[in-house]
Coordinates of all heavy atoms in Angstrom, one line a residue:
K52 N -10.2 -0.6 5.2 CA -11.3 -1.7 5.4 C -11.0 -2.8 4.4 O -11.0 -4.0 4.8 CB -12.7 -1.2 5.3 CG -13.6 -2.0 5.8 CD -15.1 -1.5 5.5 CE -16.0 -2.8 5.4 NZ -16.0 -3.5 4.1
D53 N -10.8 -2.4 3.1 CA -10.4 -3.4 2.1 C -9.3 -4.4 2.4 O -9.3 -5.4 2.1 CB -10.2 -2.8 0.7 CG -11.4 -2.0 0.2 OD1 -12.4 -2.4 0.6 OD2 -11.3 -1.3 -0.7
L54 N -8.3 -3.7 3.0 CA -7.0 -4.5 3.4 C -7.2 -5.2 4.7 O -6.2 -5.8 5.1 CB -5.9 -3.5 3.5 CG -5.5 -2.7 2.2 CD1 -4.5 -1.6 2.5 CD2 -4.9 -3.8 1.2
G55 N -8.3 -5.0 5.4 CA -8.5 -5.8 6.6 C -7.8 -5.1 7.8 O -7.7 -5.6 8.9
L56 N -7.4 -3.9 7.6 CA -6.7 -3.1 8.7 C -7.7 -2.5 9.6 O -7.4 -2.2 10.7 CB -5.8 -2.1 8.1 CG -4.7 -2.6 7.3 CD1 -3.9 -1.5 6.6 CD2 -3.7 -3.4 8.0
A57 N -8.9 -2.1 9.1 CA -9.9 -1.6 9.9 C -11.2 -2.3 9.8 O -11.5 -3.0 8.8 CB -10.1 -0.1 9.5
T58 N -12.0 -2.2 10.9 CA -13.4 -2.8 10.7 C -14.4 -1.8 10.7 O -14.2 -0.6 11.4 CB -13.6 -3.8 11.8 OG1 -13.4 -3.1 13.2 CG2 -12.7 -5.0 11.8
K59 N -15.5 -2.0 10.2 CA -16.6 -1.0 9.9 C -17.8 -1.4 10.7 O -18.1 -2.6 10.7 CB -16.9 -0.8 8.5 CG -17.9 0.2 8.1 CD -18.1 0.2 6.7 CE -19.2 1.2 6.3 NZ -19.5 1.1 4.8
S60 N -18.4 -0.6 11.5 CA -19.6 -0.9 12.1 C -20.6 0.2 11.9 O -20.3 1.4 11.7 CB -19.4 -1.0 13.6 OG -19.1 0.3 14.1
S61 N -21.9 -0.1 12.0 CA -22.8 0.9 11.8 C -24.0 0.8 12.7 O -24.5 -0.4 12.9 CB -23.3 1.1 10.4 OG -23.7 -0.2 9.9
F62 N -24.5 1.8 13.2 CA -25.9 1.7 14.0 C -26.9 2.4 13.1 O -26.5 3.2 12.2 CB -25.6 2.7 15.2 CG -25.0 2.0 16.4 CD1 -23.6 2.0 16.5 CD2 -25.8 1.4 17.3 CE1 -23.1 1.3 17.6 CE2 -25.3 0.7 18.4 CZ -23.9 0.7 18.6
Q63 N -28.0 1.9 13.2 CA -29.2 2.3 12.4 C -29.3 3.8 12.3 O -29.2 4.5 13.3 CB -30.4 1.8 12.9 CG -30.7 0.5 12.1 CD -31.8 -0.3 12.9 OE1 -32.7 0.3 13.6 NE2 -31.9 -1.7 12.6
G64 N -29.4 4.4 11.1 CA -29.5 5.8 11.0 C -28.3 6.7 11.3 O -28.4 7.9 11.4
E65 N -27.2 6.1 11.3 CA -26.0 6.8 11.6 C -24.9 6.6 10.7 O -24.9 5.6 10.0 CB -25.4 6.3 13.0 CG -26.0 7.1 14.1 CD -25.2 6.7 15.4 OE1 -24.1 6.3 15.2 OE2 -25.7 7.0 16.5
A66 N -23.9 7.4 10.7 CA -22.7 7.3 9.8 C -22.0 6.1 10.3 O -22.0 5.7 11.6 CB -21.8 8.4 9.8
A67 N -21.3 5.3 9.5 CA -20.5 4.1 9.9 C -19.3 4.6 10.8 O -18.9 5.7 10.6 CB -20.0 3.4 8.7
R68 N -18.9 3.8 11.7 CA -17.7 4.1 12.5 C -16.6 2.9 12.1 O -17.0 1.8 11.8 CB -18.1 3.9 14.0 CG -18.9 5.1 14.4 CD -19.5 4.8 15.8 NE -20.3 5.8 16.2 CZ -19.8 6.9 16.8 NH1 -18.6 7.1 17.2 NH2 -20.7 7.9 17.2
Y69 N -15.4 3.4 12.3 CA -14.2 2.5 12.0 C -13.3 2.4 13.1 O -13.2 3.3 14.0 CB -13.5 3.2 10.8 CG -14.2 3.2 9.6 CD1 -15.1 4.2 9.3 CD2 -14.0 2.3 8.6 CE1 -15.8 4.3 8.1 CE2 -14.8 2.3 7.4 CZ -15.6 3.4 7.2 OH -16.3 3.4 6.0
K70 N -12.7 1.2 13.3 CA -11.7 1.1 14.3 C -10.6 0.1 13.8 O -11.0 -0.5 12.9 CB -12.3 0.6 15.6 CG -12.8 -0.9 15.6 CD -13.4 -1.3 16.9 CE -12.6 -2.1 17.8 NZ -12.1 -3.4 17.2
L71 N -9.6 0.2 14.4 CA -8.4 -0.7 14.0 C -8.8 -2.1 14.2 O -9.4 -2.6 15.2 CB -7.3 -0.3 14.9 CG -5.9 -0.6 14.5 CD1 -5.6 0.3 13.2 CD2 -4.9 -0.3 15.5
A72 N -8.5 -3.0 13.2 CA -8.8 -4.3 13.3 C -7.8 -5.1 14.3 O -6.7 -4.7 14.3 CB -8.7 -5.0 11.9
G73 N -8.2 -6.0 15.1 CA -7.3 -6.7 15.9 C -6.4 -7.7 15.1 O -6.7 -7.9 13.9
L74 N -5.5 -8.3 15.7 CA -4.6 -9.2 15.0 C -5.4 -10.5 14.6 O -5.2 -11.0 13.6 CB -3.4 -9.7 15.9 CG -2.4 -8.6 16.0 CD1 -1.2 -9.1 16.9 CD2 -1.8 -8.2 14.6
N75 N -6.3 -10.9 15.5 CA -7.2 -12.0 15.1 C -8.6 -11.5 15.2 O -9.3 -11.8 16.2 CB -7.0 -13.2 16.2 CG -5.6 -13.7 16.1 OD1 -5.1 -14.2 15.1 ND2 -4.9 -13.7 17.2
P76 N -9.0 -10.8 14.2 CA -10.3 -10.2 14.3 C -11.4 -11.3 14.3 O -11.3 -12.4 13.7 CB -10.4 -9.5 12.9 CG -9.4 -9.9 12.1 CD -8.4 -10.6 12.9
P77 N -12.4 -11.1 15.3 CA -13.5 -12.1 15.3 C -14.4 -12.0 14.1 O -14.2 -11.1 13.3 CB -14.3 -11.5 16.5 CG -13.9 -10.1 16.6 CD -12.5 -10.0 16.1
R78 N -15.3 -12.9 14.0 CA -16.0 -12.9 12.8 C -16.8 -11.6 12.6 O -16.9 -11.0 11.5 CB -17.1 -14.0 13.0 CG -17.8 -14.4 11.7 CD -18.4 -15.7 11.9 NE -19.6 -16.0 11.0 CZ -20.5 -16.8 11.2 NH1 -20.5 -17.6 12.2 NH2 -21.4 -17.0 10.3
H79 N -17.2 -11.1 13.7 CA -17.8 -9.7 13.7 C -17.8 -9.3 15.2 O -17.7 -10.1 16.1 CB -19.1 -9.6 13.1 CG -20.1 -10.4 13.8 ND1 -20.5 -11.6 13.4 CD2 -21.0 -10.0 14.8 CE1 -21.5 -12.0 14.3 NE2 -21.8 -11.1 15.1
E80 N -18.2 -8.1 15.5 CA -18.3 -7.6 16.9 C -19.6 -7.0 17.1 O -20.4 -6.7 16.2 CB -17.2 -6.6 17.1 CG -15.8 -7.1 17.1 CD -14.9 -5.9 17.2 OE1 -14.9 -5.1 16.2 OE2 -14.2 -5.8 18.1
H81 N -19.9 -6.8 18.4 CA -21.1 -6.0 18.8 C -20.7 -4.8 19.4 O -19.7 -4.7 20.1 CB -22.1 -6.9 19.6 CG -22.7 -8.1 18.8 ND1 -23.5 -7.8 17.6 CD2 -22.4 -9.4 18.6 CE1 -23.9 -8.9 17.2 NE2 -23.2 -9.9 17.7
F82 N -21.6 -3.8 19.5 CA -21.2 -2.6 20.0 C -22.4 -2.1 21.1 O -23.6 -2.4 21.0 CB -21.1 -1.6 19.0 CG -19.9 -1.8 18.1 CD1 -20.1 -2.6 17.0 CD2 -18.7 -1.4 18.4 CE1 -19.1 -2.9 16.1 CE2 -17.6 -1.7 17.5 CZ -17.8 -2.5 16.4
F83 N -21.8 -1.5 22.0 CA -22.7 -0.8 23.0 C -22.7 0.7 22.8 O -21.5 1.2 22.6 CB -22.3 -1.1 24.5 CG -23.1 -0.3 25.4 CD1 -24.3 -0.7 25.9 CD2 -22.6 0.9 25.9 CE1 -25.0 0.0 26.9 CE2 -23.3 1.8 26.7 CZ -24.5 1.3 27.3
K84 N -23.7 1.3 22.7 CA -23.7 2.8 22.4 C -24.5 3.5 23.6 O -25.6 3.2 23.8 CB -24.5 3.1 21.2 CG -24.3 4.7 21.0 CD -25.0 5.1 19.6 CE -24.9 6.6 19.6 NZ -25.8 7.1 18.5
C85 N -23.8 4.4 24.2 CA -24.4 5.2 25.3 C -25.3 6.4 24.8 O -24.9 7.0 23.8 CB -23.3 5.9 26.2 SG -24.1 6.9 27.5
R86 N -26.6 6.4 25.2 CA -27.5 7.3 24.6 C -27.2 8.8 25.1 O -27.6 9.7 24.5 CB -29.0 7.0 25.0 CG -29.5 5.8 24.3 CD -31.0 5.7 24.5 NE -31.4 4.4 24.4 CZ -31.7 3.6 25.5 NH1 -31.6 4.1 26.7 NH2 -32.0 2.3 25.3
Q87 N -26.5 8.9 26.2 CA -26.2 10.2 26.7 C -24.9 10.9 26.1 O -25.0 12.0 25.5 CB -26.1 10.2 28.2 CG -27.4 10.5 28.9 CD -27.4 10.4 30.4 OE1 -26.5 10.9 30.9 NE2 -28.5 9.8 30.8
C88 N -23.8 10.1 26.2 CA -22.5 10.7 25.7 C -22.1 10.2 24.3 O -21.2 10.6 23.7 CB -21.4 10.3 26.7 SG -20.9 8.6 26.8
Q89 N -23.0 9.3 23.8 CA -22.8 8.8 22.4 C -21.5 7.9 22.2 O -21.2 7.7 21.1 CB -22.8 10.0 21.3 CG -23.9 11.0 21.5 CD -25.3 10.4 21.1 OE1 -25.4 9.7 20.2 NE2 -26.3 10.6 22.0
N90 N -20.9 7.7 23.3 CA -19.7 6.8 23.3 C -20.1 5.4 22.8 O -21.1 4.9 23.2 CB -19.2 6.8 24.7 CG -17.6 6.5 24.5 OD1 -17.0 6.9 23.6 ND2 -17.1 5.9 25.6
V91 N -19.1 4.9 22.0 CA -19.4 3.5 21.4 C -18.3 2.6 21.9 O -17.1 2.9 21.8 CB -19.5 3.4 20.0 CG1 -19.6 2.1 19.4 CG2 -20.7 4.3 19.5
E92 N -18.7 1.6 22.5 CA -17.7 0.6 23.0 C -17.9 -0.8 22.2 O -19.1 -1.1 21.9 CB -17.8 0.1 24.5 CG -17.4 1.4 25.3 CD -17.9 1.1 26.8 OE1 -17.8 0.0 27.3 OE2 -18.5 2.0 27.4
S93 N -16.8 -1.5 22.0 CA -17.1 -2.8 21.3 C -16.9 -3.9 22.2 O -16.1 -3.9 23.1 CB -16.1 -2.9 20.1 OG -14.8 -2.9 20.5
F94 N -17.5 -5.1 21.9 CA -17.5 -6.3 22.6 C -16.7 -7.2 21.7 O -17.1 -7.3 20.5 CB -18.9 -6.8 23.1 CG -19.6 -5.9 23.9 CD1 -20.7 -5.3 23.4 CD2 -19.2 -5.8 25.2 CE1 -21.4 -4.4 24.2 CE2 -19.9 -4.9 26.1 CZ -21.2 -4.2 25.5
N95 N -15.8 -8.0 22.2 CA -15.2 -9.0 21.3 C -16.0 -10.2 21.2 O -15.5 -11.2 20.4 CB -13.7 -9.2 21.7 CG -12.8 -8.0 21.4 OD1 -13.0 -7.4 20.3 ND2 -12.0 -7.7 22.4
E96 N -17.0 -10.3 21.9 CA -17.7 -11.6 21.8 C -19.0 -11.5 21.1 O -19.5 -10.4 21.0 CB -17.9 -12.1 23.2 CG -18.5 -11.1 24.2 CD -18.6 -11.6 25.6 OE1 -18.7 -12.7 25.9 OE2 -18.5 -10.7 26.4
C97 N -19.5 -12.6 20.6 CA -20.8 -12.6 20.0 C -21.6 -13.7 20.7 O -21.2 -14.9 20.9 CB -20.7 -13.0 18.5 SG -22.3 -13.1 17.9
F98 N -22.7 -13.2 21.2 CA -23.6 -14.2 22.0 C -24.5 -15.0 21.0 O -25.1 -16.0 21.4 CB -24.5 -13.4 22.9 CG -23.9 -12.1 23.3 CD1 -24.2 -10.9 22.7 CD2 -22.9 -12.0 24.3 CE1 -23.7 -9.7 22.9 CE2 -22.4 -10.8 24.6 CZ -22.7 -9.6 24.0
V99 N -24.6 -14.6 19.8 CA -25.5 -15.3 18.9 C -24.9 -16.3 17.9 O -25.6 -17.2 17.4 CB -26.3 -14.2 18.0 CG1 -27.5 -14.7 17.3 CG2 -26.7 -12.9 18.9
S100 N -23.6 -16.1 17.8 CA -23.0 -16.9 16.7 C -23.1 -18.5 17.0 O -23.1 -19.2 16.1 CB -21.5 -16.7 16.6 OG -20.8 -16.8 17.8
K101 N -23.2 -18.8 18.3 CA -23.4 -20.3 18.7 C -24.7 -20.8 18.1 O -24.8 -21.8 17.5 CB -23.4 -20.4 20.1 CG -23.1 -21.7 20.7 CD -22.9 -21.7 22.2 CE -23.4 -23.1 22.7 NZ -23.7 -23.1 24.2
K102 N -25.7 -20.0 18.3 CA -27.0 -20.3 17.7 C -27.0 -20.4 16.1 O -27.6 -21.1 15.6 CB -28.1 -19.3 18.2 CG -29.5 -19.5 17.7 CD -30.1 -20.6 18.4 CE -31.4 -21.1 17.8 NZ -32.0 -22.3 18.4
E103 N -26.3 -19.4 15.6 CA -26.2 -19.4 14.1 C -25.5 -20.7 13.7 O -26.0 -21.4 12.7 CB -25.2 -18.3 13.7 CG -26.0 -16.9 13.6 CD -25.1 -15.9 12.9 OE1 -23.9 -16.1 12.7 OE2 -25.6 -14.9 12.6
R104 N -24.4 -21.2 14.4 CA -23.7 -22.4 14.0 C -24.7 -23.5 14.0 O -24.8 -24.5 13.2 CB -22.5 -22.7 14.8 CG -21.3 -21.8 14.3 CD -20.0 -22.3 14.8 NE -20.0 -22.1 16.2 CZ -19.5 -21.0 16.8 NH1 -19.1 -20.0 16.1 NH2 -19.4 -21.0 18.2
L105 N -25.6 -23.5 15.1 CA -26.6 -24.6 15.3 C -27.6 -24.6 14.1 O -27.9 -25.6 13.6 CB -27.4 -24.5 16.6 CG -26.6 -24.8 17.9 CD1 -27.4 -24.4 19.0 CD2 -26.2 -26.2 17.9
L106 N -27.9 -23.4 13.7 CA -28.8 -23.3 12.5 C -28.2 -23.8 11.3 O -28.9 -24.5 10.4 CB -29.4 -21.8 12.4 CG -30.4 -21.3 13.4 CD1 -30.5 -19.7 13.2 CD2 -31.7 -22.0 13.2
E107 N -27.0 -23.4 11.1 CA -26.2 -23.9 9.9 C -26.1 -25.3 9.9 O -26.2 -26.0 8.9 CB -24.9 -23.2 9.8 CG -25.0 -21.7 9.3 CD -23.7 -20.9 9.5 OE1 -22.8 -21.4 10.2 OE2 -23.7 -19.8 9.0
A108 N -25.9 -25.9 11.0 CA -25.8 -27.4 11.2 C -27.1 -28.1 10.8 O -27.1 -29.1 10.5 CB -25.3 -27.8 12.6
A109 N -28.2 -27.3 11.1 CA -29.5 -27.8 10.9 C -30.0 -27.6 9.5 O -31.0 -28.0 8.9 CB -30.5 -27.2 11.8
G110 N -29.0 -27.0 8.5 CA -29.3 -26.8 7.3 C -29.7 -25.5 6.7 O -30.0 -25.3 5.5
Y111 N -29.8 -24.5 7.6 CA -30.1 -23.1 7.2 C -28.8 -22.6 6.5 O -27.6 -22.8 7.0 CB -30.4 -22.3 8.4 CG -31.8 -22.7 9.0 CD1 -31.9 -23.7 10.0 CD2 -32.9 -22.1 8.8 CE1 -33.0 -24.2 10.5 CE2 -34.1 -22.5 9.3 CZ -34.2 -23.5 10.2 OH -35.4 -23.9 10.7
K112 N -29.0 -21.8 5.6 CA -27.9 -21.1 4.8 C -27.8 -19.6 5.0 O -28.9 -19.0 5.2 CB -28.0 -21.5 3.3 CG -27.6 -22.9 3.0 CD -26.1 -22.9 2.4 CE -25.6 -24.3 2.3 NZ -25.7 -25.2 3.4
N113 N -26.7 -19.0 4.8 CA -26.6 -17.5 4.8 C -27.2 -16.9 6.1 O -27.9 -15.9 6.1 CB -27.1 -16.9 3.6 CG -26.5 -17.4 2.3 OD1 -25.3 -17.6 2.3 ND2 -27.2 -17.6 1.3
V114 N -26.9 -17.6 7.2 CA -27.5 -17.0 8.5 C -26.7 -15.9 8.9 O -25.4 -15.9 8.8 CB -27.4 -18.2 9.5 CG1 -27.9 -17.7 10.9 CG2 -28.1 -19.4 9.0
S115 N -27.3 -14.8 9.2 CA -26.6 -13.7 9.7 C -27.4 -12.9 10.8 O -28.7 -13.1 10.8 CB -26.2 -12.7 8.7 OG -27.4 -12.0 8.1
H116 N -26.9 -12.0 11.5 CA -27.7 -11.2 12.5 C -27.1 -9.8 12.7 O -25.9 -9.6 12.3 CB -27.9 -11.9 13.8 CG -26.5 -12.0 14.5 ND1 -25.6 -13.0 14.3 CD2 -26.0 -11.2 15.6 CE1 -24.6 -12.9 15.0 NE2 -24.8 -11.8 15.8
H117 N -27.8 -9.0 13.1 CA -27.3 -7.6 13.4 C -27.9 -7.2 14.8 O -29.2 -7.3 15.0 CB -27.9 -6.7 12.4 CG -27.4 -5.3 12.5 ND1 -26.1 -4.9 12.2 CD2 -27.9 -4.2 13.1 CE1 -25.9 -3.7 12.5 NE2 -27.0 -3.1 13.0
L118 N -27.0 -6.9 15.7 CA -27.6 -6.6 17.1 C -26.9 -5.3 17.6 O -25.7 -5.1 17.5 CB -27.1 -7.8 18.0 CG -27.4 -7.6 19.4 CD1 -28.9 -7.7 19.7 CD2 -26.7 -8.8 20.2
E119 N -27.7 -4.5 18.0 CA -27.2 -3.2 18.7 C -27.6 -3.1 20.2 O -28.8 -3.4 20.5 CB -27.9 -2.0 18.0 CG -27.4 -1.9 16.5 CD -28.2 -0.8 15.9 OE1 -29.0 -0.1 16.6 OE2 -28.0 -0.5 14.7
I120 N -26.7 -2.8 21.0 CA -27.1 -2.6 22.4 C -26.8 -1.1 22.8 O -25.8 -0.6 22.5 CB -26.2 -3.5 23.4 CG1 -26.3 -5.0 22.8 CG2 -26.7 -3.4 24.7 CD1 -25.3 -6.0 23.6
S121 N -27.9 -0.6 23.4 CA -27.8 0.8 23.8 C -28.2 1.0 25.2 O -28.9 0.2 25.7 CB -28.4 1.8 22.8 OG -29.7 1.5 22.8
G122 N -27.8 2.1 25.9 CA -28.2 2.3 27.3 C -27.5 3.5 27.7 O -27.1 4.4 26.9
V123 N -27.1 3.5 29.0 CA -26.5 4.6 29.6 C -25.2 4.1 30.2 O -25.3 3.1 31.1 CB -27.4 5.4 30.7 CG1 -26.5 6.5 31.3 CG2 -28.7 5.9 30.0
C124 N -24.0 4.6 29.9 CA -22.7 3.9 30.4 C -22.6 4.3 31.9 O -23.1 5.4 32.3 CB -21.6 4.4 29.4 SG -21.1 6.1 29.8
P125 N -21.7 3.6 32.6 CA -21.5 3.9 33.9 C -21.0 5.3 34.3 O -21.4 5.9 35.3 CB -20.5 2.8 34.4 CG -20.5 1.8 33.4 CD -20.9 2.3 32.2
K126 N -20.2 5.8 33.3 CA -19.7 7.1 33.5 C -20.8 8.1 33.6 O -20.8 9.0 34.4 CB -18.7 7.6 32.3 CG -17.3 7.8 32.7 CD -16.6 8.4 31.5 CE -16.1 7.5 30.5 NZ -15.4 8.1 29.2

Side-chain angles (χ1 to χ4, degrees):
K52 193 188 158 279
D53 290 346
L54 294 170
L56 300 172
T58 55
K59 184 180 173 183
S60 65
S61 54
F62 276 86
Q63 264 164 24
E65 274 193 14
R68 287 167 181 274
Y69 295 82
K70 71 187 256 301
L71 207 63
L74 288 177
N75 296 300
R78 195 164 156 198
H79 67 268
E80 290 173 298
H81 290 292
F82 296 91
F83 172 87
K84 186 180 171 190
C85 176
R86 285 195 209 101
Q87 266 174 45
C88 66
Q89 311 293 314
N90 205 30
V91 174
E92 293 167 42
S93 69
F94 302 106
N95 284 320
E96 53 188 325
C97 174
F98 333 98
V99 192
S100 58
K101 201 174 150 196
K102 181 69 188 171
E103 279 191 348
R104 281 196 294 272
L105 288 172
L106 286 169
E107 281 165 353
Y111 293 84
K112 284 260 176 299
N113 299 325
V114 179
S115 72
H116 67 276
H117 183 79
L118 176 70
E119 296 173 357
I120 307 176
S121 61
V123 180
C124 75
K126 239 194 280 175

